[in-house]
Amino acid sequence: MVYTISPENKQLELDIQQNISTCLDNFESFCFDAGAGAGKTYALQKSIEHVLKTNEKTLKQNNQKILCITYTNAAKDEILKRLGKNSSVVVSTIHEFLWGFIAIQQELLTIEHEKKIKETLKELEQNINDNPLSKSINLIEFKNAISDEEFLKIFYNTPSTPAEKFKSMIKEYSEYFYPYLSNVKTFRSLVKIVIKKHKLEETLKQINDKKSKQVIYNPIQNRDKLENYVISHDTLLLYCENIITSQNILKKLFSDRYPYVLVDEYQDTDKKVVSIIDSIKEYTSSKKKFMVGFFGDSLQNIYETGVGILPQKNKYQIIEKIFNRRSSSQIVGLIEKIRNDNFGQQSIYTNFSNGSYNFYIAEDNFNLPSFLQEKNLTNNTACLLMKNDDITKARGFDEILTVLKKSPRFSGKNYENITKEFLQKNLQHMGWFLRDILTFIDFIKKIENDNSTVREIVQFITPYKSALTFAEMQKFISSLRKINLSTLTINKCIKKIVNIKGRISGEKILRKIFSIDDTEKEILANIKDRAHDYFYYSQDSEDSKKEMIVIDNFFELNISIFFKWYNYIFDDTKNEGISYYTLHGSKGLEFDNVVVVLQDNFAKGNNYCENFFKKYHSPSAASDSQFQKVRNLLYVAFSRARINLHVIYKNNSPEDSLENIKEIFGEKFVLYLNNKQY
């Protein structure tokens, strides 16, 4: 069906884009707020094209560029695809760009690194004081004792050793440790802290002696290795904020090079990034040669790391777009009610009115597959689920979640880490060890795919590729393809890869993927040790046997299960008729048909959705952070639908919120999937 835009709406949309163009022409910073489906990326594209059309010659003469900052690599790729290559435009994720800008400032980076090390040493000192063993030992003697290479070899090569055997091995090495082994976990914890403290002290000494190394940003792993001068994503932003906001010369360099800065999905941008941009904007305020354009929607902020509402928004020209280009008028009308802020969102089309929505009240025994069959929702349908257990089961990698939930990193008060670190589609925020595993799976998939090129596989052997011939690389790949890795467990897969010897060896590949530097350690034991550090990072228990069972269970999972997790992370549904996502994971996507399953027992609460429906008209809702969190999530989820939306609310007794539910959805659209009537 062809949808029609009235001449009036077409002109209004053109006027909105012209307002943006006027700001660009006048170097007037602006904030472009547009609802879901409004075409924010298109507006961003047109803004860049306008600057190129009107000012590209000047940009080239002055050796200047337009800077477009994106939140994810996927967004970056989409914008580049739309624009095509142009030397006057830089499209980059914020981490990628900032490191490119700041990497040369090693003196300033070293100062920040020194500050970070000193702060970390204070924390470690406190951790040492809190450790029960520290009260009964001479720390200097203890540090000297554990610094011996033979001790470290025993200590680090036995991460999965049962407590009693570990005690025996340590006692056999030296009787000195005998009094400190009553609690193996406490002992291990203290050893690691003292070693880390010693390494950082040595690094600090290097800095003070002017013998420091270069600070390096590791884009692959969100984990600091301060003793090796390696920083993570979060630390990079911290360093950049401290450096750029305090250095006028860098603000000048930045603004002289990039007079136009356009930020995509500003609501998800880190506060530190906004702080950097604001400081540059303030520095250049009298020159009228630098401007910032923020594109986004504050109500689509569903991540805790994002800024949400733009700070100092009143200092920017506000441009709003109420038109929706994605959804039927029925869906647009509903999401406008969900916003609950009188934004005024409406369909840009005059005849896109063939959509529908329904709100179903269901009991806990609701059967989703049966519902999908009954409603004939088997094509171009997305099912958005709240529960991690439900989504992992639907996508076929629930066995991984079962193991993860047995570790302290993903259980109890840390259960939310499953969403933040395991089901996180922004790889920069994924848990560091799980990101290593994902990289490992990516390597296996490319090996298993006969269509993968040598170039695609070579990325995993970057440190060694310059010394290798094409024939050697092909031989290595051929050796791996003979194994049929996808049928193996992670354990067996690693062992098979390690057995491949030569100038390019399997072990070298694994050491790169898992960031392992020490060649004295057995590779699988080292990887498991890293897994233990990740899963049990804050624990101090004696039950090491139970801990190692969890680690072993993780590595005994079949690679094929991790393939399904990989496909979920990268939205590879292979054109399935029904696709399953979490509500968070659906952001940025659209489908003809969307089914959203709502529950109250979510995010450590028993009234997650009920709170939203109950407080829908409450004057306190505007300042209720929980209300806003749920509102934003429902808004994002519902607005994924192009034509048809089905909302299922699993609640056995919704009487207290029923009145508001009927007002939002309309009484005739509130239906019951059980015999109970309200």
Tab-separated table of all heavy atoms in Angstrom, residues 69 94 244-245 254 261 263 269 272-283 290 292 294 316:
chain	number	residue	atom	x	y	z
A	69	ILE	N	29.013	11.994	15.695
A	69	ILE	CA	29.258	11.037	16.777
A	69	ILE	C	28.056	10.114	16.921
A	69	ILE	O	26.922	10.571	17.044
A	69	ILE	CB	29.522	11.767	18.104
A	69	ILE	CG1	30.815	12.580	18.009
A	69	ILE	CG2	29.598	10.777	19.252
A	69	ILE	CD1	31.021	13.499	19.205
A	94	ILE	N	31.992	7.522	19.833
A	94	ILE	CA	32.666	8.510	20.668
A	94	ILE	C	34.014	8.005	21.189
A	94	ILE	O	34.992	8.750	21.233
A	94	ILE	CB	31.767	8.980	21.834
A	94	ILE	CG1	32.421	10.154	22.570
A	94	ILE	CG2	31.429	7.840	22.780
A	94	ILE	CD1	32.685	11.365	21.702
A	244	ILE	N	40.443	17.489	28.425
A	244	ILE	CA	39.929	18.462	27.449
A	244	ILE	C	39.267	19.652	28.128
A	244	ILE	O	39.466	20.804	27.722
A	244	ILE	CB	38.962	17.778	26.462
A	244	ILE	CG1	39.702	16.709	25.655
A	244	ILE	CG2	38.341	18.810	25.515
A	244	ILE	CD1	38.808	15.875	24.750
A	245	THR	N	38.485	19.407	29.175
A	245	THR	CA	37.792	20.512	29.842
A	245	THR	C	38.747	21.458	30.554
A	245	THR	O	38.375	22.592	30.873
A	245	THR	CB	36.751	19.989	30.859
A	245	THR	OG1	37.401	19.157	31.828
A	245	THR	CG2	35.652	19.209	30.158
A	254	PHE	N	40.310	21.186	18.801
A	254	PHE	CA	39.071	20.470	18.504
A	254	PHE	C	38.154	21.337	17.642
A	254	PHE	O	37.702	20.901	16.568
A	254	PHE	CB	38.375	20.097	19.816
A	254	PHE	CG	37.226	19.142	19.677
A	254	PHE	CD1	37.300	17.853	20.193
A	254	PHE	CD2	36.049	19.519	19.044
A	254	PHE	CE1	36.237	16.964	20.070
A	254	PHE	CE2	34.987	18.640	18.906
A	254	PHE	CZ	35.075	17.365	19.437
A	261	VAL	N	29.721	19.701	14.940
A	261	VAL	CA	29.644	18.451	15.692
A	261	VAL	C	28.183	18.040	15.804
A	261	VAL	O	27.364	18.757	16.379
A	261	VAL	CB	30.250	18.591	17.107
A	261	VAL	CG1	30.108	17.278	17.875
A	261	VAL	CG2	31.713	18.994	17.018
A	263	VAL	N	25.595	15.018	17.058
A	263	VAL	CA	25.546	13.877	17.977
A	263	VAL	C	24.256	13.099	17.766
A	263	VAL	O	23.158	13.635	17.958
A	263	VAL	CB	25.654	14.335	19.443
A	263	VAL	CG1	25.643	13.127	20.377
A	263	VAL	CG2	26.920	15.168	19.655
A	269	THR	N	24.026	9.249	25.221
A	269	THR	CA	25.410	9.711	25.319
A	269	THR	C	25.811	9.893	26.776
A	269	THR	O	25.048	10.405	27.591
A	269	THR	CB	25.592	11.039	24.563
A	269	THR	OG1	25.174	10.865	23.207
A	269	THR	CG2	27.046	11.487	24.579
A	272	LYS	N	29.821	12.505	30.577
A	272	LYS	CA	31.189	13.023	30.420
A	272	LYS	C	31.388	13.580	29.017
A	272	LYS	O	32.079	14.581	28.821
A	272	LYS	CB	32.220	11.933	30.707
A	272	LYS	CG	32.196	11.388	32.128
A	272	LYS	CD	33.284	10.349	32.321
A	272	LYS	CE	33.174	9.672	33.678
A	272	LYS	NZ	31.937	8.832	33.767
A	273	VAL	N	30.784	12.929	28.030
A	273	VAL	CA	30.895	13.381	26.643
A	273	VAL	C	30.192	14.725	26.470
A	273	VAL	O	30.721	15.642	25.843
A	273	VAL	CB	30.314	12.331	25.676
A	273	VAL	CG1	30.357	12.842	24.238
A	273	VAL	CG2	31.072	11.014	25.800
A	274	VAL	N	28.994	14.832	27.039
A	274	VAL	CA	28.255	16.095	26.974
A	274	VAL	C	29.045	17.197	27.668
A	274	VAL	O	29.091	18.342	27.204
A	274	VAL	CB	26.861	15.945	27.599
A	274	VAL	CG1	26.126	17.286	27.593
A	274	VAL	CG2	26.037	14.894	26.848
A	275	SER	N	29.688	16.851	28.776
A	275	SER	CA	30.511	17.817	29.502
A	275	SER	C	31.665	18.321	28.630
A	275	SER	O	31.963	19.524	28.615
A	275	SER	CB	31.067	17.180	30.779
A	275	SER	OG	32.016	18.017	31.406
A	276	ILE	N	32.295	17.413	27.899
A	276	ILE	CA	33.389	17.785	27.002
A	276	ILE	C	32.891	18.749	25.922
A	276	ILE	O	33.486	19.798	25.676
A	276	ILE	CB	34.011	16.534	26.353
A	276	ILE	CG1	34.751	15.702	27.404
A	276	ILE	CG2	34.971	16.921	25.220
A	276	ILE	CD1	35.171	14.327	26.910
A	277	ILE	N	31.783	18.371	25.298
A	277	ILE	CA	31.231	19.182	24.210
A	277	ILE	C	30.797	20.551	24.722
A	277	ILE	O	31.056	21.582	24.083
A	277	ILE	CB	30.059	18.444	23.537
A	277	ILE	CG1	30.576	17.201	22.813
A	277	ILE	CG2	29.336	19.359	22.557
A	277	ILE	CD1	29.480	16.305	22.267
A	278	ASP	N	30.149	20.581	25.882
A	278	ASP	CA	29.705	21.853	26.454
A	278	ASP	C	30.888	22.776	26.756
A	278	ASP	O	30.807	23.992	26.566
A	278	ASP	CB	28.898	21.614	27.731
A	278	ASP	CG	27.438	21.285	27.454
A	278	ASP	OD1	26.982	21.531	26.319
A	278	ASP	OD2	26.749	20.778	28.366
A	279	SER	N	31.985	22.200	27.219
A	279	SER	CA	33.162	23.022	27.547
A	279	SER	C	33.763	23.642	26.290
A	279	SER	O	34.213	24.789	26.309
A	279	SER	CB	34.208	22.185	28.292
A	279	SER	OG	34.851	21.258	27.440
A	280	ILE	N	33.772	22.885	25.189
A	280	ILE	CA	34.283	23.415	23.920
A	280	ILE	C	33.348	24.491	23.390
A	280	ILE	O	33.781	25.536	22.899
A	280	ILE	CB	34.457	22.275	22.893
A	280	ILE	CG1	35.467	21.246	23.408
A	280	ILE	CG2	34.915	22.828	21.545
A	280	ILE	CD1	35.517	19.975	22.591
A	281	LYS	N	32.049	24.223	23.495
A	281	LYS	CA	31.042	25.195	23.045
A	281	LYS	C	31.180	26.504	23.814
A	281	LYS	O	31.120	27.594	23.232
A	281	LYS	CB	29.644	24.603	23.231
A	281	LYS	CG	28.494	25.525	22.834
A	281	LYS	CD	27.171	24.784	22.966
A	281	LYS	CE	25.989	25.718	22.781
A	281	LYS	NZ	25.818	26.655	23.894
A	282	GLU	N	31.378	26.413	25.118
A	282	GLU	CA	31.533	27.612	25.944
A	282	GLU	C	32.812	28.362	25.566
A	282	GLU	O	32.829	29.585	25.493
A	282	GLU	CB	31.568	27.223	27.413
A	282	GLU	CG	31.612	28.417	28.370
A	282	GLU	CD	31.547	28.004	29.819
A	282	GLU	OE1	31.235	26.816	30.101
A	282	GLU	OE2	31.818	28.846	30.684
A	283	TYR	N	33.883	27.627	25.314
A	283	TYR	CA	35.159	28.236	24.937
A	283	TYR	C	35.047	29.025	23.634
A	283	TYR	O	35.666	30.085	23.472
A	283	TYR	CB	36.223	27.145	24.801
A	283	TYR	CG	37.533	27.628	24.230
A	283	TYR	CD1	38.440	28.340	25.006
A	283	TYR	CD2	37.860	27.377	22.893
A	283	TYR	CE1	39.641	28.795	24.474
A	283	TYR	CE2	39.050	27.820	22.354
A	283	TYR	CZ	39.934	28.528	23.140
A	283	TYR	OH	41.140	28.964	22.611
A	290	PHE	N	31.845	27.545	15.741
A	290	PHE	CA	31.700	26.185	16.240
A	290	PHE	C	30.261	25.981	16.669
A	290	PHE	O	29.676	26.819	17.353
A	290	PHE	CB	32.640	25.947	17.419
A	290	PHE	CG	32.495	24.593	18.054
A	290	PHE	CD1	33.111	23.474	17.499
A	290	PHE	CD2	31.733	24.422	19.212
A	290	PHE	CE1	32.984	22.225	18.091
A	290	PHE	CE2	31.596	23.173	19.803
A	290	PHE	CZ	32.228	22.079	19.239
A	292	VAL	N	27.091	22.803	17.749
A	292	VAL	CA	26.758	21.428	18.112
A	292	VAL	C	25.296	21.181	17.799
A	292	VAL	O	24.438	22.015	18.110
A	292	VAL	CB	27.006	21.163	19.609
A	292	VAL	CG1	26.743	19.689	19.923
A	292	VAL	CG2	28.405	21.566	20.015
A	294	PHE	N	22.438	18.264	18.567
A	294	PHE	CA	22.053	17.026	19.243
A	294	PHE	C	20.770	16.481	18.613
A	294	PHE	O	19.766	17.190	18.537
A	294	PHE	CB	21.830	17.269	20.738
A	294	PHE	CG	23.084	17.525	21.521
A	294	PHE	CD1	23.426	18.806	21.924
A	294	PHE	CD2	23.928	16.483	21.864
A	294	PHE	CE1	24.577	19.041	22.656
A	294	PHE	CE2	25.092	16.708	22.588
A	294	PHE	CZ	25.418	17.986	22.984
A	316	TYR	N	20.366	25.803	24.099
A	316	TYR	CA	20.330	25.340	22.713
A	316	TYR	C	19.007	25.735	22.057
A	316	TYR	O	17.972	25.834	22.733
A	316	TYR	CB	20.475	23.817	22.643
A	316	TYR	CG	21.832	23.315	23.083
A	316	TYR	CD1	22.116	23.115	24.428
A	316	TYR	CD2	22.825	23.042	22.155
A	316	TYR	CE1	23.361	22.665	24.834
A	316	TYR	CE2	24.070	22.585	22.550
A	316	TYR	CZ	24.333	22.397	23.894
A	316	TYR	OH	25.580	21.950	24.293
